[in-house]
């Protein structure tokens, strides 16, 4: 059952697509599911409190830090461009305000609120679940059902069907910030092909653009873009360009001129265009919350689609800000007043001030959207920007190329964006702990509607290592987006940079053997509002041990995955709640099978093997590997499992 409680005057985020009659929140909220207080006194105007029992678990929050069970920490929904995802971080790129309480009471809450919101889940007080924000304008959805899986399904039903990515998007993708010209891309393709490593996508990061201007190509780097896209097509490669949120301020640049002339950019309080520096220098932000501006910005993708492009990734759409002229002015003043004479350098303050130029709250508080004739301060709708940038593209695709299946994913997101595109989880690092974080986010994202998802395999920041990349790829085999991506300046991490390339081939081949099955699982999850990845706790609800397992997941109805995520390991421990068939994809293409009883086991897994578990009385189909999705031969399918 779903009930919707209204507090104050909420902004319509369009996260929920089903019409549900709103009840007066203050009068009608059922105290069995927590207490709500509202006040006009500034901070924490809205407070929700629920006393958790000892064994209650709390799930959800989509792209968030820490465990699958969120209990024990504090999280803040505030879309942030923060590339260092250490355990202490409260905010990442997304804002997914959906939580599920699983205990004596089973219920879920969706706080449809587009600005900063705090979820303290037993952090300040171990049995207190607290959710709060600074304005009491929101819709709160309360969902109850027999089981947690039913609750998720009910929620997914009201937020609408998830974006369905094309099948080629299940192929392997190679990406790197630093590829600059046609030759760089050609080399990536030819080295994969020459080494017989399957490949479907090559990602184009910001350097393909002319001076980082959206929807332009640097013709010195790629002289004839359409011809190049075609050349790649003939190699069965999809080129996937990046699009950044900010539009370069440059007289004569058509996107800038059009946006300016039509008032399609976000404004300062005085009505002038708000400017913020990102990669191109000063940029304007398309006002994607304004329906007209959104349609205009989306239409801009058509030049690339006309050139044959059929996939995009939207970046920097929190939106990320390196600095604003106003911020620099403040800094100058601080410099003049405090440190010019270098008498007493307040070093901590100097460092803080410098770092604080980027993604500064003052800047987010200082610009405005124009939404259906109303001026709305960005700070009140901050978490909706990436969502609506991606929505802009998706809505335009429906008009520009209705018959084309286009891959689209975003860095920043809010619930609702799941209908328009997928996400990647941003700038992780080449750390072993981030393999596990990648795994933990999968079910949490699925609860919130995001199904086409994946992390930068091998790690974006820092130098990767051969074993880390192999282990991470062995998890990536199962994630819808399987993309190797890394930052400029880090160790090269294309698989052909390492010794014994056959080991990488073995792992990536497993992906291709599973693509028909995986795509089917994914598609069914989209159509039926199901989760593709589930915590063991959602299925083995009566098994106390299974309920706390956080490094294994159920995949669809048939499988369990349990990747190795520690350095120098020869394998790992797994917990089976029921008898399963443990299979191992071996480097020679054979498949080892072994029935394991319920209980604890140590499984040995070498770096070039991929482990997988088939649940009792289930089977899956596998095919022969191919060099790209298009060449997968379905007639080679065979069943494996409990046949
Ligand atoms: O400020 O385009 O998360 O994937 O390679 C960094 C360069 C901007 C951040 C993205 C990353 C991408 C990088 N971008």
């Amino acid at each position: 059952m779903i009930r919707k409680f209204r507090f104050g005057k909420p902004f319509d985020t369009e996260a929920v697509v089903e019409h549900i009659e709103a009840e007066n929140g203050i009068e009608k909220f059922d105290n069995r599911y927590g207490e709500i207080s509202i006040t006009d006194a500034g901070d924490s105007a809205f407070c929700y409190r629920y006393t958790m029992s000892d064994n209650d678990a709390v799930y959800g929050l989509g792209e968030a830090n820490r465990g699958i069970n969120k209990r024990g920490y504090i999280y803040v929904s505030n879309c942030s461009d923060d590339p260092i995802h250490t355990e202490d971080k409260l905010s990442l790129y997304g804002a997914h305000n959906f939580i599920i309480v699983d205990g004596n009471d089973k219920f879920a809450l969706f706080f449809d609120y587009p600005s900063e919101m705090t979820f303290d889940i037993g952090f300040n007080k171990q049995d207190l679940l607290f959710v709060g924000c600074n304005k009491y304008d929101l819709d709160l959805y309360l969902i109850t059902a027999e089981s947690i899986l039913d609750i998720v399904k009910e929620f997914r039903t009201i937020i609408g069907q998830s974006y369905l990515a094309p099948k080629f998007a299940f192929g392997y993708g190679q990406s790197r910030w630093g590829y600059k010209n046609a030759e760089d891309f050609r080399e990536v393709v030819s080295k994969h092909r020459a080494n017989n490593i399957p490949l479907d996508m090559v990602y184009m990061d910001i350097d393909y653009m002319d001076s980082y201007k959206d929807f332009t190509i640097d013709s010195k780097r790629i002289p004839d873009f359409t011809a190049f896209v075609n050349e790649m097509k003939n190699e069965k490669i999809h080129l996937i360009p990046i699009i950044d949120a900010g539009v370069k301020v440059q007289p004569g640049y058509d996107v800038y001129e059009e946006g300016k002339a039509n008032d399609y950019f976000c404004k300062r309080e005085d009505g002038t265009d708000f400017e913020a520096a990102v990669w191109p220098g000063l940029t304007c932000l398309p006002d994607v919350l304004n329906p007209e501006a959104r349609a205009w910005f989306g239409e801009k993708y058509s030049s690339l689609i006309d050139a044959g492009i059929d996939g995009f990734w939207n970046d920097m759409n929190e939106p990320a800000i390196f600095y604003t002229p106003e911020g620099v002015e403040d800094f100058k003043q601080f410099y003049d007043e405090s440190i010019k004479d270098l008498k007493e350098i307040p070093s901590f303050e100097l460092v803080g001030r410098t770092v604080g130029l980027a993604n500064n709250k003052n800047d987010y508080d200082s610009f405005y959207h124009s939404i259906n004739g109303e001026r709305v301060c960005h700070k009140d709708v901050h978490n909706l920007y990436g969502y609506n940038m991606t929505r802009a593209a998706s809505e335009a695709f429906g008009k520009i190329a209705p018959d084309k299946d286009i891959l689209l994913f975003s860095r920043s997101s809010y619930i609702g964006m799941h209908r328009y595109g997928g996400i990647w989880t941003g700038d992780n690092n080449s750390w072993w702990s981030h393999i596990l974080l990648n795994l933990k986010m999968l079910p949490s994202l699925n609860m919130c509607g995001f199904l086409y998802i994946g992390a930068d395999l091998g790690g974006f920041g820092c130098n990767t290592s051969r074993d880390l990349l192999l282990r991470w790829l062995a998890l990536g085999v199962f994630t819808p987006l399987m993309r190797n991506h890394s930052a400029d300046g880090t160790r090269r991490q294309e698989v052909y940079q390492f010794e014994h390339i056959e080991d990488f081939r073995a792992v990536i081949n497993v992906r291709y053997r599973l693509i028909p099955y995986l795509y089917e699982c994914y598609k069914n999850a989209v159509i039926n509002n199901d989760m593709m990845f589930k915590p063991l706790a959602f299925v083995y609800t009566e098994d106390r041990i299974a309920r706390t397992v956080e490094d294994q997941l159920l995949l669809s109805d048939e499988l369990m995955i349990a990747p190795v995520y520690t350095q120098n390991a020869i394998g790992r421990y797994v917990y089976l709640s029921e008898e399963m068939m443990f299979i191992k994809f071996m480097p020679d293409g054979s498949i080892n099978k072994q029935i394991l009883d319920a209980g604890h086991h140590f499984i040995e897994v070498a770096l070039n093997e991929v482990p997988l578990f088939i649940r009792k009385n289930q089977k899956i189909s596998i095919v022969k590997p191919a060099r790209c999705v298009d060449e997968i031969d379905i007639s080679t399918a065979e069943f494996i499992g409990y046949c």
Side-chain angles (χ1 to χ4, degrees), residues 334-351:
F334 158 73
Y335 177 85
D336 287 344
E337 283 167 13
S338 309
I339 57 171
K340 203 163 151 203
D341 306 330
L342 300 181
K343 282 193 194 111
E344 219 174 275
I345 305 175
S347 52
F348 64 94
E349 207 184 337
L350 178 58
V351 171

Side-chain angles (χ1 to χ4, degrees), residues 141-152:
Y141 295 80
L142 167 69
I143 306 170
T144 50
E146 276 299 296
S147 72
I148 299 299
L149 282 172
D150 288 341
I151 286 178
V152 173

Side-chain angles (χ1 to χ4, degrees), residues 81 83 93 175-178 204-207 209 242 244 278-279 313 315-316 318 320 322 411 424-428 456 460 483 485-488:
D81 169 24
Y93 309 91
S175 184
R176 181 172 172 85
W177 176 13
M204 305 173 76
D205 209 318
I206 46 176
D207 296 298
M209 294 183 246
I242 195 170
D244 278 6
V278 203
W279 291 106
W313 47 311
D315 190 20
M316 307 301 271
E318 293 68 32
F322 291 173
R411 195 170 71 175
W424 97 101
T425 52
D427 301 347
N428 57 16
D456 290 349
F460 175 77
R483 181 178 78 144
H485 181 50
S486 52
D488 201 7

Side-chain angles (χ1 to χ4, degrees), residues 458-475:
F460 175 77
C462 311
N463 295 327
T464 200
S465 60
R466 181 179 183 275
D467 54 345
L468 175 82
L469 178 57
L470 276 164
R471 292 298 195 197
W472 209 330
L473 286 169
L475 167 60

Side-chain angles (χ1 to χ4, degrees), residues 71-219:
R71 190 164 178 172
Y73 205 57
I74 180 167
Y75 314 83
V76 176
S77 285
N78 182 33
C79 297
S80 305
D81 169 24
D82 181 341
I84 310 292
H85 311 164
T86 43
E87 266 190 49
D88 56 314
K89 291 299 165 72
L90 307 183
S91 306
L92 300 174
Y93 309 91
H96 306 144
N97 302 341
F98 176 66
I99 52 169
I100 306 170
V101 176
D102 180 11
N104 299 336
D105 287 322
K106 290 190 198 324
F107 63 100
L109 300 165
F110 172 47
F111 298 84
D112 192 5
Y113 180 73
S115 181
E116 188 173 318
M117 181 162 235
T118 300
F119 293 81
D120 178 338
I121 309 180
F123 176 70
N124 277 303
K125 198 165 173 294
Q126 64 169 8
D127 63 353
L128 179 67
L129 165 59
F130 169 89
V131 183
C133 55
N134 291 346
K135 288 198 171 169
Y136 55 77
D137 300 317
L138 69 147
D139 283 327
L140 171 57
Y141 295 80
L142 167 69
I143 306 170
T144 50
E146 276 299 296
S147 72
I148 299 299
L149 282 172
D150 288 341
I151 286 178
V152 173
K153 208 179 181 113
E154 292 224 21
F155 177 59
R156 293 271 304 279
T157 308
I158 63 163
I159 58 173
Q161 187 171 308
S162 303
Y163 160 76
L164 181 64
K167 195 167 185 184
F168 75 76
F170 269 63
Y172 179 59
Q174 178 58 48
S175 184
R176 181 172 172 85
W177 176 13
Y179 298 151
K180 289 202 164 44
N181 51 41
E183 246 352 280
D184 292 343
F185 297 117
R186 282 192 186 105
E187 180 184 297
V188 170
V189 176
S190 64
K191 291 229 164 116
H192 281 84
R193 292 286 180 250
N195 285 296
N196 218 355
I197 307 283
L199 186 70
D200 273 88
M201 289 165 289
V202 175
Y203 286 77
M204 305 173 76
D205 209 318
I206 46 176
D207 296 298
Y208 77 88
M209 294 183 246
D210 170 15
S211 314
Y212 306 120
K213 292 198 296 259
D214 278 341
F215 314 112
T216 68
I217 307 288
D218 184 338
S219 60

